[in-house]
Amino acid sequence: MNALHSFFCTLAKSSEEPTVFRKWIPFLHVYERIKHVELYHVIEEQLFTTYSQPIIDLKTNNIYGYEFLLRPVDHGPSFRPYELFQMAERAGMQAHLDARARIASIQNSASSVPLGVKRFINFVPSSIYDPNHCLATTFKAAADAGVDPKDLVFEVVETEEINDIKHLKSIFKAYQEQGMKVALDDLGAGHATLSLLKELQPDYVKIDREIVSLCDEDHAKQHMIRQIVDIAKEMGAIVLAEGIERKEEVQIVLQCGVQLAQGYYFGRPVPTEKLNTTSN
């Protein structure tokens, strides 16, 4: 009841602001915000933080970078990240949430991750209708936080179906023109395919966990990993294997030529602010 009251107070406050042209919210968007009012306030009041999972250089066993993941704040409303983004899309708030999540990752990394260590940050292509305009706040956040653009890697979220290759290329270009890197996630399963890899030419390629899991027991999976590595090598991209949970999987992906790895075998996600106390 308090959350619903707060929601209508927010609408009332915004309606009191003087403006020549009022921006009307579609009924279905309002309906979703009322139906999921707790999630609405998670987005509007930024009741989320970031957790970070280590990415390991398989040749040196050193931490190469971290992937930044959206999580609820302590003592705040609980949510699953994919459900939050699904609600945001239905409520017309996806671009708003996506931008805030990127900025939070950049800002949180500034005080917890050393210079030279990569920060892998997800983004939703469909939320960026104009790269130069929509990413301006992201670029400003990096500059204000003192984060080296070369340390930032932006990756397409694994749940996003890629329908407009030309648009995604323009987003990649906007990031790369700022000195940042881009990654294609979920390769080998889901929406990312080998033909898409050749078309987009990303800086990093992340092999899907379904291909990596039990790859030591499956020759077809090993063949797929080698295929990805060979194509990536031709274009100068770095390959990362996701979802590693066993030593045997580490040995196979290393034999196949994979440079980086991520998964519970190396470390679970922890609150970003605790990286200074948990890093080796």
Side-chain angles (χ1 to χ4, degrees):
M1 182 62 70
N2 288 337
L4 192 60
H5 174 73
S6 178
F7 172 81
F8 284 112
C9 286
T10 302
L11 288 183
K13 182 179 179 182
S14 63
S15 68
E16 293 168 2
E17 295 173 359
T19 178
V20 177
F21 298 103
R22 176 92 48 213
K23 181 180 178 182
W24 290 96
I25 302 174
F27 171 78
L28 288 178
H29 290 176
V30 174
Y31 173 77
E32 284 294 332
R33 297 179 193 191
I34 294 174
K35 182 180 179 182
H36 303 285
V37 68
E38 248 193 4
L39 293 182
Y40 167 79
H41 281 291
V42 167
I43 299 170
E44 195 64 24
E45 299 171 22
Q46 199 164 325
L47 301 178
F48 55 79
T49 186
T50 58
Y51 275 49
S52 303
Q53 185 175 30
I55 293 169
I56 304 299
D57 185 322
L58 289 175
K59 288 187 177 179
T60 65
N61 285 321
N62 292 329
I63 292 177
Y64 181 89
Y66 293 93
E67 180 174 2
F68 285 74
L69 306 163
L70 206 66
R71 294 291 185 269
V73 295
D74 290 339
H75 311 299
S78 179
F79 64 83
R80 295 179 179 178
Y82 74 90
E83 291 177 347
L84 185 66
F85 273 93
Q86 286 177 341
M87 176 269 171
E89 182 178 12
R90 295 192 303 269
M93 302 179 74
Q94 186 184 56
H96 185 54
L97 173 60
D98 192 46
R100 285 193 168 194
R102 290 195 305 270
I103 291 170
S105 296
I106 292 169
Q107 291 173 338
N108 292 351
S109 79
S111 58
S112 301
V113 180
L115 290 173
V117 176
K118 305 296 184 186
R119 294 111 159 117
F120 286 71
I121 300 171
N122 294 302
F123 75 94
V124 181
S126 59
S127 73
I128 304 171
Y129 60 88
D130 177 352
N132 292 323
H133 172 73
C134 296
L135 296 178
T137 54
T138 300
F139 301 150
K140 184 178 185 301
D144 290 347
V147 175
D148 189 336
K150 294 194 295 294
D151 289 342
L152 293 171
V153 182
F154 290 93
E155 58 181 84
V156 183
V157 295
E158 59 194 36
T159 55
E160 180 86 347
E161 184 173 1
I162 301 168
N163 294 316
D164 191 341
I165 304 297
K166 184 178 179 181
H167 178 60
L168 185 53
K169 278 184 170 181
S170 70
I171 297 173
F172 275 18
K173 182 181 178 183
Y175 279 127
Q176 290 169 326
E177 285 178 345
Q178 296 294 321
M180 302 168 184
K181 304 297 183 183
V182 292
L184 182 60
D185 198 8
D186 199 31
L187 196 70
H191 305 300
T193 63
L194 293 177
S195 59
L196 191 63
L197 169 59
K198 295 176 182 178
E199 181 78 14
L200 291 173
Q201 303 271 315
D203 302 295
Y204 291 85
V205 179
K206 301 186 78 173
I207 303 177
D208 186 78
R209 67 188 68 242
E210 290 185 17
I211 304 299
V212 173
S213 178
L214 300 176
C215 61
D216 54 299
E217 301 175 4
D218 190 324
H219 291 292
K221 289 184 176 183
Q222 293 172 29
H223 177 69
M224 171 67 79
I225 293 170
R226 288 192 177 94
Q227 269 191 303
I228 293 171
V229 169
D230 288 343
I231 295 171
K233 190 179 295 182
E234 289 176 7
M235 63 181 65
I238 295 173
V239 181
L240 187 159
E242 292 186 292
I244 289 184
E245 297 186 2
R246 299 163 53 248
K247 182 180 180 180
E248 293 82 359
E249 293 163 354
V250 177
Q251 293 170 338
I252 289 297
V253 298
L254 188 55
Q255 288 172 16
C256 291
V258 173
Q259 298 108 309
L260 306 176
Q262 176 183 357
Y264 287 173
Y265 179 80
F266 301 105
R268 292 176 177 267
V270 298
T272 301
E273 67 269 16
K274 293 185 178 180
L275 289 181
N276 286 329
T277 60
T278 58
S279 298
N280 293 326

